[in-house]
Amino acid sequence: MNAPAPAPAPADTAGTPDAARPYSQYVYAYPHKTAYRRLTPRPSLRELWAGEPKDALSLYLHIPFCEVRCGFCNLFTRIGAPDGLTGAYLDALDRQATAVREALGDGEPVRFATAAFGGGTPTFLTAPELERLCDIAERRAGVDLRAVPLSVEASPATATADRLAVLADRGATRLSLGVQSFVDSEARAAVRPQRRADVEAALGRIREARIPVLNIDLIYGIDGQTARTWTESLDAALAWDPEEIYLYPLYVRPLTGLGRLGADADAAWDRQRLALYRQGRDHLRDRGYEQRSMRMFRRADAPVTGEEDYACQTDGMIGLGCGARSYTRGLHYSFDYAVDMRQIRAIVDDYTARPAEDFGYAEYGRVIDAGEARRRHLLQSLLQADGMERADYAARFGSGPEADFPAELARFAERGWLDGSAPDGLLRLSEEGLAHSDALGPELFSPAVRAAMAAYDVK
């Protein structure tokens, strides 16, 4: 992924989050992998997927390599790859995809509705390696990449013409470029070595490749950033008329480059980030972008090539690669998780050495019971600008959100985070609620998940 990641510090999750802090945690998946534990015994994938719907699956392929590691990044990725490692990784991905497709069985039709390549940086792979990655998705997993929305993440340095040509030819409908800032001094402050000239050249190549949707990621809250320089980055992005723009607040997490430099959050930084968020939100709205969540803004006339930004976190997710998650209705599972580079290298090495039969089992995960399923649905729906239809919730769970979460929703209403003018039957956040998504989301975590995350030994 290109964006700052949400792995929490233990202090963020030991108890109920502090409502006064607008930036507790970016919730892009619930439960987070820090709540996963080793599964004993390992359940077989064939058993896990036996009763699952398979007519609209999502496929996610994870590439855990980057040319550099940004100072804010705590994603599962390693810097560089010794000779032969990317090939060995693709060999293992091929074995895993074959084992997973066999586990899905042939008793009913298996169809993929969406696909995504993330990381890390998928475009760290060479053009021939990207061809092979697409072949694995199509020939092993069974997805027709040209028939479904395909989103791919990239960095400016790796968005080369030959790589982009492969992606365009194989059906990519969306290319997400992690820019973060067009101001060179801010990029350096975020420990992200890049030059604006190189970013602009990459954007030119992406537009020449004619991939339908360009997304640009930007970050606010960087050391030295001001309202003026934030406007400079926003306008530089807008000059490329991107179909989407994501605005991310900067986080500083344990074991990251900025974390090791001793940077920390305080009230003044919270106020700065909140002010920059509102400035960016209003700037994009004034220029014809619709707000879809706290982070996502879509050009009003842009083609919709897939679901909203949280859809890949719904049930029926097949994740391939050592940093990917998979979701059934009753279990979320993955491989081990780490942030420290030595730990990540060990996990990647273990993954590449695995025999085919080892890929037929889930190793780390968390059971999703009925209560967690309710929380997850409410959380992911409520954090979208459109909100959640109460009737849809009732049809799914046989109850109403106010009956299931009376205390939480009452607190949100008291703080002005719920939209009192929403149509009957619609539960929707107010503008202030959207602005405080990173405080609101963690308040919906169950006590059990919060305790598991707090007990996680950051590594």
Side-chain angles (χ1 to χ4, degrees), residues 96-382:
Q96 185 190 9
T98 301
V100 170
R101 181 59 187 86
E102 289 176 355
L104 294 177
D106 296 314
E108 57 186 295
V110 175
R111 187 184 75 86
F112 287 92
T114 64
F117 301 161
T121 307
T123 48
F124 180 90
L125 300 177
T126 65
E129 288 172 335
L130 283 172
E131 289 276 16
R132 187 177 178 200
L133 182 69
C134 293
D135 286 344
I136 290 170
E138 293 195 332
R139 299 174 186 175
R140 298 291 188 258
V143 59
D144 184 351
L145 294 178
R146 294 181 179 86
V148 303
L150 170 60
S151 179
V152 183
E153 296 171 357
S155 67
T158 61
T160 58
D162 58 342
R163 292 174 169 103
L164 294 170
V166 169
L167 295 173
D169 179 65
R170 298 303 290 262
T173 55
R174 179 180 182 270
L175 196 292
S176 181
L177 192 72
V179 173
Q180 320 315 355
S181 177
F182 283 86
V183 179
D184 289 351
S185 61
E186 291 178 3
R188 289 194 298 271
V191 195
R192 183 180 177 88
Q194 67 181 27
R195 297 185 308 131
R196 177 170 177 173
D198 296 330
V199 172
E200 300 277 4
L203 286 164
R205 292 191 296 270
I206 293 167
R207 281 313 198 193
E208 289 173 2
R210 299 187 179 276
I211 294 172
V213 171
L214 165 64
N215 170 67
I216 296 176
D217 286 344
L218 297 175
I219 289 179
Y220 53 92
I222 300 170
D223 186 33
Q225 192 174 50
T226 66
R228 180 188 61 78
T229 62
W230 182 223
T231 299
E232 182 180 341
S233 276
L234 291 166
D235 286 341
L238 288 167
W240 291 97
D241 204 22
E243 285 72 23
E244 296 175 3
I245 299 179
Y246 274 64
L247 306 183
Y248 290 93
L250 181 66
Y251 276 92
V252 176
R253 295 305 194 193
L255 303 183
T256 63
L258 291 178
R260 291 189 177 93
L261 291 174
D264 198 5
D266 58 23
W269 192 31
D270 284 346
R271 289 193 295 271
Q272 181 210 21
R273 286 182 287 178
L274 203 53
L276 292 173
Y277 158 77
R278 289 172 174 147
Q279 176 190 343
R281 175 198 65 193
D282 295 346
H283 198 73
L284 295 184
R285 284 178 175 173
D286 289 346
R287 284 150 184 81
Y289 283 75
E290 299 174 343
Q291 185 171 16
R292 308 303 304 154
S293 69
M294 173 184 165
R295 288 165 170 75
M296 180 186 181
F297 296 81
R298 179 189 292 144
R299 209 177 69 208
D301 62 344
V304 179
T305 61
E307 298 292 341
E308 293 296 295
D309 61 342
Y310 73 111
C312 67
Q313 304 298 339
T314 55
D315 298 335
M317 176 78 173
I318 299 288
L320 301 177
C322 59
R325 299 169 174 82
S326 295
Y327 302 138
T328 68
R329 287 174 296 184
L331 182 75
H332 292 185
Y333 64 92
S334 67
F335 295 100
D336 198 4
Y337 171 74
V339 176
D340 179 76
M341 289 304 299
R342 289 172 297 178
Q343 299 279 356
I344 290 174
R345 285 195 293 267
I347 294 171
V348 172
D349 290 344
D350 174 76
Y351 175 83
T352 58
R354 283 174 180 264
E357 55 268 23
D358 265 11
F359 288 122
Y361 298 87
E363 297 210 350
Y364 289 80
R366 188 165 189 88
V367 171
I368 306 299
D369 61 20
E372 295 291 14
R374 284 174 164 81
R375 287 182 183 276
R376 182 165 176 259
H377 181 82
L378 176 62
L379 190 157
Q380 292 183 317
S381 301
L382 198 55

Side-chain angles (χ1 to χ4, degrees), residues 67-71 73-77 79 191 339-341 344:
E67 69 274 19
V68 295
R69 190 169 198 182
C70 304
C73 178
N74 67 348
L75 291 172
F76 186 93
T77 186
I79 301 170
V191 195
V339 176
D340 179 76
M341 289 304 299
I344 290 174

Side-chain angles (χ1 to χ4, degrees), residues 105 402 433 457:
E402 283 83 2
D457 184 15

